[in-house]
């Protein structure tokens, strides 16, 4: 069945089937199909048995003939090629050969070929004349055939001893050859005939029939392969085919006739039989056609449908003089629909037919009900046009679909008395009775959703860097407009569920767009009253923030399916984050508890979640909240698969791991290019926030053995940077960040600043933010602060005291800021120092343990655990008695007592090593 | 620079500075039945080893070479040596044996002692107790009974006192190594502990009289300032490094013990299972007997319960040995430094 049924109005199609079943079944398509299928089955079984062998032999004989031809013209190169093919073909035919024995013709060609080659080889004169290729081929072929013939030695000697056995065959062969050269078309038959003839001696009587059958089969074969598809469906649309077939039959007959004298004269009896058979077959076919025609007489529409592809038949849709009524049109519609999804139905023609039907309907003033119904079906057929789910609609088709939906919407808006719904039963439809409200089955929302999906697919399949993409993107406005209209329509008439769905569509088309107008407004608002009329006009459109708020709140309140609400929340957060409303976004994220159970969601929602988290992180970064930014981005960045997680491309690495099917599915999940989040920006934001966190942390925990890495990714980049044997000026974004980190480690904020913010980085990253300057100034300040902290951590051991003024000069921060940073460090016990108020200096306490002390402490700790481990081994040796020591975990610390009590154990503990 | 100091320290036949003294004390216990009781090294060999490291070794990289000499009574006299070339990536197919043989043949041609009596190796902060050293020393001692390995510590030497030690594997360890069985039982049977793995052989550095005369001459001329390394008070770097290395070994030791622990646990668990199984079997047989049926056939228990592979204990022995060396080093170093600090303090007070 078509895909449309499964996605959208499946109930509709079902009911149409069930409703019409009684009428359609007999007319529909079973009558002609079944006998046909039967007959085919019959023949099939025979064919399988025969053709395997014949096909192989045919192949062989074909090749042999070409070789012989090549031999005649001394084309050794050709001979070599063909010989290799022959060997392969023989290999394929092995199973049959095993059964039937090595065919004589095969042996003959081998023997002949060898003789021929030897002859050529001896002919020194001729060899000299030969061109290089041929000479080369000759030697290769000679070697090959020698090797090859070794396997057939006995056969060949046998053949050479009594070649007269096949003398008559030779004669035939010649005959055939001449025939073959004269009539290329007959190749197959001729050869197979020859193959048959060779076998004739073995089974002269039984074979003749076989042969005939085979002949027939072949014909069938060729026909079948030609119009295999039509074959199945010819029952439904064989009217036009019948003529063709007729023609074919004659061709067939002539073929038979032609062949008959050519192959054998003594076969006349057989010939007759065969002709009888052919005739019978012909009769059968024509009978079948007759039957069809008879059947068709009952419903003239069958013919029309079959002939639909032919343009000239178009006007014949309704027989002349037929009164066009609702009933007739509906019946016709149903007929057309029945062909839907069946093999061989010309989908394009179907659409055309439906459009014609609309025209007729409107010409005859059948009312809007019918038009709406047909329109629904047109759109459905448009979607049906592509049988494959993976491929995308052609843009033109989609455009058509767009127009259609628009028209449909026009009608629906113009006629508020039309009710549509997917749960209106076919029987209860009211298309004609103008007194009552019109009821039409169908769901506009499903159609629009489908249209939107197709749009996404088109975008996915267009090269994002081409003009074409831009052209397509322009259609997005149209899509939005339609969604808007549907939304308005459904707000009036639809159920809450439908409204939720259409709201979600709307949200999905809104959330990722940055609202420049609102942004502008925000900027100008505090400045005051310079509002011109133009501004006013611009401001009229609803603020996207308000819009999102309204739509999402409705969904939060009314939606009952979890998925729509989840999507809405995520989009809402995304939108907040995009517009730098960090706190709202964060609160929404935390309140929704999505982080806990997002792993149970389906992949598209997860992708949306990832996108939202990333946007949230970037938003936090813009606000200067590096820690939040880092945390939000950590999951995405640490995996190293950001591209995949955001649905912005497939990783090459995993190509081997997934098969074609999976890849297709994944491809379908990709986010269209205009929704992409810049990955370099993302990585840069992540690395810079990691730098701002990690460098002071590293400085603070220089000698701490148990320090943890905050960001593995960042450390990795640092290591990569260190591994460079020769460090040039940074080129890429990463190199810039690494260089900046190194500068920061030394507390050199100016260099760090120049690495992070410069022309290159502006172009690559910072200018992509909507408020680039604000971000930059925030970043400078952050760098200054963190550099100050790093400086204090790294060099505090060198100072006895340091003036805050000096620090403030060094880092170009004002005194209160320096004061607050240092105070904070002191409070957090990161810096062992105190502030001396009168002199504005920081006095270091020097209570930090030295490097040796640190090491010694660590060593002590490690030794402690070592002893504990050792004791455990000891416990094992001691059995239950050792349990006593296990009770006091810190046994090793009370060493003296332990030793005194169990001094004898000292020796044992040594042996435990 | 190191050479001169070494000269002063060893003078004529006195044992070489600290190393020799420390070695002597220990060797009393271990080397009773050993073939070699003393190693006598020519000054030339010492200088050659030092030069080899100076030129080729740096950082953690070690240099190695072959010692040549002969055995006189219970004294091993090392009269010459030659270095091994450094291993590099591109000469993987370098044939070491071939090289040695050729070197020795060449030396023989110029009438130099050519008997192989051991090898030498430089070390980084005393971390030489490794499996590699054990294996190669074993093969040396296996082939040439009297071979020794000379360990040269360039860092300690740079601090002012030549550090050169001669080691041999104890006969007990040789036996264990011969059997290639490092299971806990085998080691226990051989009663091998980390202290009884290597025996240190006392070293004597011998020079010709002419050289000794030159030494005396030079010592008179040399200023005190040339010996300032010996008096250096800086300790943090060396101590830190030692502590770091010690800590690494302790970590390894910890892991090893954990491994052993799991093994023990598994063993005891299996033992229990075995026991239970046997009991069950016995009961069943008893029942069968009472019913007059023949008892169940004996099954191979070792097939039912595959014994766990006991972890090789050689590693932990080596680690323990290494830790011991580090501790000795640290002890020695701190003792010296404390002495120096007290001296410095006294000097300060005196000056004030």
């Amino acid at each position: 069945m078509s895909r449309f049924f499964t996605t959208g109005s499946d109930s509709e199609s079902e009911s149409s089937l069930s409703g019409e079943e009684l009428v359609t079944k007999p007319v529909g398509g079973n009558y002609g199909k079944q006998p046909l299928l039967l007959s085919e089955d019959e023949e099939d079984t025979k064919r399988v048995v025969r053709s395997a062998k014949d096909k192989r032999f045919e192949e062989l004989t074909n090749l042999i003939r070409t070789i012989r031809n090549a031999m005649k013209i001394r084309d050794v190169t050709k001979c070599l090629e063909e010989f290799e093919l022959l060997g392969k073909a023989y290999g394929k035919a092995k199973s049959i050969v095993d059964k039937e024995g090595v065919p004589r013709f095969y042996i003959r060609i081998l023997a002949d070929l060898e003789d021929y080659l030897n002859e050529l080889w001896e002919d020194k004169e001729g060899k000299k004349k030969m061109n290089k290729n041929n000479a080369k081929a000759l030697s290769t072929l000679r070697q090959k055939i020698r090797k090859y013939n070794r396997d057939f030695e006995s056969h060949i000697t046998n053949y050479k001893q009594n070649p007269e056995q096949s003398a008559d065959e030779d004669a035939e062969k010649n005959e055939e050859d001449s025939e073959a050269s004269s009539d290329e078309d007959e190749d197959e038959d001729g050869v197979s005939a020859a193959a048959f003839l060779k076998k004739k001696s073995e089974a002269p009587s039984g074979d003749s029939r076989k042969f005939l059958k085979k002949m027939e089969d072949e014909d069938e074969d060729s026909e079948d392969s030609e119009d295999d598809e039509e074959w199945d469906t010819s029952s439904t649309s064989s009217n036009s085919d019948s003529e063709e077939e007729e023609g074919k039959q004659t061709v067939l007959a002539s073929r038979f006739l032609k062949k008959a004298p050519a192959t054998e004269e003594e076969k006349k009896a057989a010939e007759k039989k065969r002709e009888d058979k052919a005739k019978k077959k012909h009769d059968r076919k024509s009978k079948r056609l007759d039957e069809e025609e008879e059947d068709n007489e009952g419903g003239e529409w069958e013919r029309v449908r079959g002939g639909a592809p032919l343009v000239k038949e178009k006007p014949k849709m309704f027989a002349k003089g037929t009164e066009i009524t609702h009933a007739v049109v509906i019946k016709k519609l149903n007929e057309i629909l029945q062909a839907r999804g069946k093999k061989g139905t010309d989908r394009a023609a179907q659409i055309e037919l439906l459009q014609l039907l609309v025209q007729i309907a409107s010409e005859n003033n059948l009312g809007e009900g019918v038009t709406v119904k047909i329109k629904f079906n047109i759109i459905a057929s448009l979607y049906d046009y592509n049988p494959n789910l993976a491929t995308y609609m052609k843009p033109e088709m989609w455009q058509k679909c767009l127009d259609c939906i628009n028209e449909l919407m026009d009608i629906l808006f113009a006629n508020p008395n039309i009710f549509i719904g997917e749960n209106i039963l076919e029987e209860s439809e009211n298309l004609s009775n103008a007194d009552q409200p019109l009821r039409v089955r169908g769901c506009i929302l499903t159609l629009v959703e489908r249209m939107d999906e197709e749009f996404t697919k088109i975008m996915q399949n267009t090269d994002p860097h081409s003009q074409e993409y831009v052209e397509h993107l322009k259609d997005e406005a149209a899509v939005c407009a339609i969604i808007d209209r549907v939304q308005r329509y459904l707000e009036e008439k639809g159920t809450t569920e439908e409204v939720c769905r259409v709201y979600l569509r709307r949200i999905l088309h809104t959330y990722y767009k940055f609202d420049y107008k609102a942004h502008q407004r925000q900027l100008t608002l505090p400045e005051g009253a310079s509002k011109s009329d133009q501004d006013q006009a611009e401001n009229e459109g609803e603020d996207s923030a308000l819009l999102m708020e309204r739509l999402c709140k409705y969904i939060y309140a009314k939606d009952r399916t979890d998925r729509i609400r989840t999507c809405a929340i995520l989009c809402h957060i995304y939108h907040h984050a995009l517009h730098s409303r960090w706190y709202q976004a964060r609160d929404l994220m935390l309140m929704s508890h999505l982080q806990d159970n997002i792993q149970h969601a389906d992949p598209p929602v997860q992708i949306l979640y990832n996108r939202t988290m990333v946007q949230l992180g970037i938003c936090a970064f813009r606000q200067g909240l590096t820690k939040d930014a880092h945390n939000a981005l950590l999951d995405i960045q640490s995996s190293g698969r950001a591209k995949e997680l955001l649905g912005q491309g497939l990783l090459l690495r995993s190509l081997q791991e997934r098969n074609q099917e999976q890849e297709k599915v994944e491809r379908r999940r990709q986010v269209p290019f205009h929704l992409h989040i810049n990955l370099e920006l993302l990585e840069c934001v992540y690395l810079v926030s990691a730098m701002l966190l990690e460098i002071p942390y590293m400085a603070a925990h220089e000698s701490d053995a148990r320090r943890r890495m905050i960001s593995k990714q960042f450390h990795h980049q640092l290591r990569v940077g260190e591994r460079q044997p020769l460090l040039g000026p940074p080129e890429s974004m990463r190199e810039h960040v690494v260089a900046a980190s190194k500068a920061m480690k030394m507390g050199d904020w100016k260099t760090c600043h120049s690495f992070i913010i410069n022309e290159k980085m502006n172009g690559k990253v910072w200018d992509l933010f909507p408020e680039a300057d604000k971000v930059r100034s925030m970043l400078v300040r952050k760098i200054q602060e963190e550099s100050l902290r790093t400086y204090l951590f790294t060099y505090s051991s060198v100072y006895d005291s340091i003036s805050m003024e000096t620090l403030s000069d060094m880092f170009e921060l004002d005194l209160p800021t320096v004061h607050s940073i240092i105070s904070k460090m002191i409070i957090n016990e990161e810096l062992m120092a105190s502030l001396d108020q009168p002199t504005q200096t920081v006095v270091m306490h020097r209570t930090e343990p030295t490097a040796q002390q640190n090491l010694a402490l660590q060593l002590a700790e490690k030794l402690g655990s070592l002893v504990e481990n050792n004791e455990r081994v000891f416990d094992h040796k001691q059995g239950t008695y050792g349990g006593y020591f296990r009770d006091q975990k810190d046994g090793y610390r009370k060493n003296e007592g332990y030793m005194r009590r169990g001094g004898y154990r000292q020796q044992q503990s040594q042996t435990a090593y | 620079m190191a050479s001169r100091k070494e000269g002063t320290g060893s003078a004529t036949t006195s044992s070489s500075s600290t190393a020799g003294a420390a070695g002597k004390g220990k060797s009393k216990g271990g080397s009773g039945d050993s073939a070699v009781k003393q190693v006598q090294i020519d000054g030339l060999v010492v200088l050659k080893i030092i030069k080899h490291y100076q030129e080729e070794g740096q950082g953690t990289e070690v240099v190695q070479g072959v010692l040549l000499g002969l055995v006189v009574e219970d004294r091993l006299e090392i009269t010459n040596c030659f270095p091994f070339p450094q291993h590099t990536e591109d000469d993987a197919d370098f044939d070491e044996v071939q090289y040695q043989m050729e070197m020795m043949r060449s030396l023989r041609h110029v009438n130099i002692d050519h008997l192989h009596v051991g090898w030498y190796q430089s070390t980084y902060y005393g971390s030489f107790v490794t499996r590699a050293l054990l294996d190669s020393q074993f093969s040396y001692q296996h082939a040439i009974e009297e071979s020794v390995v000379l360990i040269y510590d360039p860092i300690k030497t740079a601090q002012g006192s030549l550090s050169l030690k001669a080691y041999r594997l104890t006969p007990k360890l040789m036996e264990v190594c011969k059997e290639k069985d490092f299971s806990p039982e085998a080691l226990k049977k051989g009663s091998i502990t980390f202290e009884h793995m290597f025996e240190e052989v006392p070293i004597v550095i011998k020079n010709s009289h002419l050289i000794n005369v030159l030494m005396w001459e030079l010592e008179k001329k040399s200023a005190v300032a040339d010996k300032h390394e010996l008096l250096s008070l800086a300790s943090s770097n060396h101590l830190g490094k030692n502590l770091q290395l010690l800590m690494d070994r302790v970590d390894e030791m910890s892991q090893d013990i954990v491994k052993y622990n799991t093994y023990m646990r598994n063993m005891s668990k299996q033992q229990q299972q075995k026991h239970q199984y046997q009991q069950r079997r016995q009961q069943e047989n008893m029942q069968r007997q009472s019913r007059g049926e023949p008892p169940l056939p004996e099954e191979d228990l070792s097939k039912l319960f595959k014994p766990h592979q006991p972890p090789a204990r050689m590693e932990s022995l080596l680690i323990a040995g290494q830790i011991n060396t580090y501790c000795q080093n640290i002890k020695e170093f701190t003792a010296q430094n404390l002495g120096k600090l007290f001296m410095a303090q006294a000097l300060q007070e005196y000056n004030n």
Side-chain angles (χ1 to χ4, degrees), chain A residues 521-533 535-536 539:
Chain A
R521 228 175 298 149
Q522 248 179 5
L523 287 186
T524 52
L525 208 64
E527 279 174 24
S530 61
K531 286 182 214 155
S532 63
D533 288 333
D535 274 343
Q536 287 262 303
N539 289 353

Side-chain angles (χ1 to χ4, degrees), chain B residues 23-309:
Chain B
K24 226 178 204 169
K26 194 174 279 179
S27 63
K28 270 174 202 157
S31 63
D33 47 354
S34 172
V36 179
K37 291 220 169 71
Q38 199 183 39
V39 177
Q40 180 184 310
I41 312 175
D42 257 30
L44 170 74
V45 175
V46 179
L47 288 176
K48 269 178 109 172
I49 293 172
I50 291 168
K51 186 160 168 275
H52 182 199
Y53 177 80
Q54 215 76 2
E55 279 170 359
E56 288 195 48
Q58 79 264 97
T60 52
E61 225 160 282
V62 296
V63 296
Q64 292 176 329
V66 173
L67 297 174
L68 303 171
L70 69 164
V71 187
V72 181
E73 289 162 5
D74 61 350
R75 195 173 70 233
L76 177 69
E77 290 182 8
I78 301 170
T79 54
N80 212 331
C81 68
F82 60 87
F84 280 140
Q86 281 304 77
H87 284 289
T88 45
E89 297 276 319
D90 42 270
D91 56 12
D93 55 341
F94 175 74
D95 189 354
E96 227 159 63
V97 179
Q98 183 75 21
Y99 168 79
Q100 277 184 36
M101 298 312 287
E102 253 166 51
M103 272 305 274
M104 285 196 280
R105 202 173 303 131
S106 304
L107 286 171
R108 189 181 187 173
H109 286 321
V110 289
N111 217 4
I112 290 174
D113 280 335
H114 60 272
L115 291 175
H116 205 161
V117 292
W119 57 301
Y120 69 87
Q121 189 199 311
S122 73
T123 175
Y124 177 73
Y125 283 106
S127 45
F128 61 87
V129 189
T130 58
R131 190 60 188 260
L133 182 119
L134 178 76
D135 286 345
S136 58
Q137 178 60 18
F138 167 71
S139 58
Y140 264 105
Q141 238 167 296
H142 193 59
I144 308 160
E145 214 262 291
E146 64 273 5
S147 356
V148 293
V149 53
L150 274 185
I151 304 289
Y152 164 65
D153 190 339
I155 291 158
K156 236 190 234 176
T157 307
Q159 278 168 354
S161 52
L162 172 73
S163 167
L164 198 62
K165 298 187 184 191
Y167 287 101
R168 285 169 57 77
L169 300 184
T170 55
K172 280 179 190 169
L173 192 63
M174 282 298 288
E175 268 167 44
V176 174
C177 284
K178 238 178 252 171
E179 276 154 32
K180 298 243 175 282
D181 179 15
F182 299 122
S183 64
E185 284 75 29
L187 290 185
K188 210 169 169 183
K189 209 178 84 196
S191 67
I192 287 179
T193 64
F194 67 93
E195 288 142 318
H196 303 120
M197 289 168 67
F198 294 96
E199 59 178 350
E200 198 180 330
V201 190
I203 292 178
V204 175
I205 298 177
K206 185 174 184 292
N207 285 320
S208 72
H209 295 300
L210 272 177
I211 291 175
N212 285 331
V213 171
L214 180 68
M215 289 292 183
W216 286 113
E217 187 84 19
L218 284 174
E219 198 180 13
K220 260 186 201 162
K221 282 183 187 167
S222 71
V224 184
D226 285 348
K227 300 173 184 170
H228 70 274
E229 288 106 331
L230 191 65
L231 297 174
S232 163
L233 289 175
S235 63
S236 60
N237 197 20
H238 189 254
L239 255 184
K241 270 275 162 31
N242 257 324
L243 276 173
Q244 197 72 52
L245 288 164
L246 180 57
M247 242 175 331
D248 290 348
R249 285 302 96 70
V250 169
D251 269 347
E252 276 174 35
M253 183 63 126
S254 255
Q255 280 168 14
D256 209 71
I257 286 183
V258 169
K259 227 185 279 169
Y260 189 66
N261 212 354
T262 2
Y263 162 69
M264 295 272 277
R265 237 195 339 263
N266 287 342
M267 274 289 279
S268 66
K269 213 183 283 171
Q270 204 181 46
Q271 207 68 39
Q272 238 168 359
Q273 281 175 343
K274 218 184 212 169
H275 198 66
Q276 275 178 356
Y277 178 81
Q278 275 172 328
Q279 269 186 340
R280 235 189 0 255
R281 232 337 135 78
Q282 227 163 16
Q283 271 180 349
E284 215 167 311
N285 273 349
M286 294 265 271
Q287 279 180 352
R288 278 172 160 269
Q289 223 160 20
S290 64
R291 274 180 282 169
E293 291 170 35
L296 288 171
E298 283 292 317
E299 278 176 58
D300 196 3
L301 279 176
S302 63
K303 252 183 207 165
L304 275 171
F305 300 101
K306 277 206 181 101
H308 292 277
Q309 189 63 40

Side-chain angles (χ1 to χ4, degrees), chain A residues 108-349:
Chain A
R108 195 171 56 200
I109 185 70
L110 288 181
D112 287 357
L113 196 58
E114 195 175 12
D115 290 348
Y116 171 73
L117 285 174
N118 285 337
E119 206 176 288
L120 274 186
W121 192 254
E122 301 302 321
D123 183 12
K124 301 272 184 211
E125 288 287 306
K127 236 165 93 185
K128 265 177 205 157
K129 270 184 223 157
M130 255 187 226
N131 66 27
K132 219 175 172 185
N133 274 346
N134 263 354
K136 211 171 159 192
L138 175 63
S139 55
T140 348
L141 184 55
R142 193 161 157 271
Q143 275 172 356
K144 271 200 176 155
I145 201 149
R146 257 198 206 158
K147 214 165 148 196
Y148 194 80
N149 281 5
R150 229 168 275 155
D151 297 338
F152 298 93
E153 216 151 9
S154 63
H155 291 276
I156 290 170
T157 46
N158 203 8
Y159 162 76
K160 278 185 180 162
Q161 272 162 13
N162 48 354
E164 68 274 10
Q165 195 190 327
S166 48
D168 51 337
E169 282 174 50
D170 272 335
E172 277 163 26
K173 194 80 203 169
N174 288 340
E175 213 179 343
E176 268 167 47
D177 280 355
S178 61
E179 182 211 300
S181 50
S182 66
D183 188 356
E184 288 286 331
D185 291 351
E186 297 278 308
D187 263 3
E188 282 187 3
D189 297 356
V191 170
S192 54
F196 153 71
L197 284 171
K198 259 158 244 150
K199 263 176 278 149
K200 170 195 73 174
S201 52
E202 297 158 21
S205 59
D207 250 14
S208 62
R209 231 196 299 144
K210 260 200 214 162
F211 167 56
L212 280 171
K213 264 182 204 151
K214 188 196 69 212
M215 293 291 278
E216 196 184 298
D217 287 346
E218 251 160 48
D219 291 331
E220 282 277 343
D221 239 346
S222 59
E223 251 174 53
D224 278 6
S225 59
E226 265 172 48
D227 50 6
D228 227 351
E229 286 197 355
E230 276 160 89
W231 222 211
D232 306 332
T233 55
S234 58
S235 55
T236 52
S237 60
S238 61
N239 201 8
S240 61
D241 281 0
S242 62
E243 271 176 6
E244 257 178 44
E245 256 159 49
E246 212 104 37
K248 234 174 244 165
Q249 289 294 325
T250 54
V251 170
L252 237 168
S254 67
R255 262 212 234 167
F256 282 10
L257 288 171
K258 206 172 176 184
K259 204 173 326 139
T263 47
E264 190 97 7
E265 279 121 312
E266 5 154 332
K267 273 283 172 328
K268 263 181 193 159
E271 178 74 33
K272 229 178 206 168
K273 258 195 210 162
R274 193 183 56 193
E275 262 180 335
D276 281 353
K277 221 171 193 170
K279 227 180 228 164
K280 253 188 220 159
K281 199 175 151 206
H282 187 120
D283 283 351
R284 203 168 57 202
K285 269 189 189 158
S286 53
K287 222 196 234 163
R288 220 186 283 148
L289 289 172
D290 286 346
E291 270 169 19
E292 267 169 45
E293 252 151 6
E294 267 168 29
D295 277 327
N296 285 353
E297 273 166 45
E300 66 217 291
W301 312 122
E302 284 301 324
R303 289 176 65 108
V304 177
R305 199 196 298 156
L310 303 171
V311 187
K312 57 172 184 180
E313 294 217 32
K314 254 188 186 169
K316 276 195 203 163
M317 183 115 77
F318 294 102
K320 262 180 196 163
T322 318
E323 199 190 337
I324 310 282
T325 62
H326 284 108
V328 173
V329 171
I330 296 296
K331 194 176 170 212
K332 173 78 186 150
L333 178 66
N334 282 333
E335 273 158 18
I336 296 171
L337 289 183
Q338 245 132 53
R340 205 174 136 192
K342 277 177 191 146
K343 240 186 185 177
T345 315
D346 188 342
R347 292 180 292 265

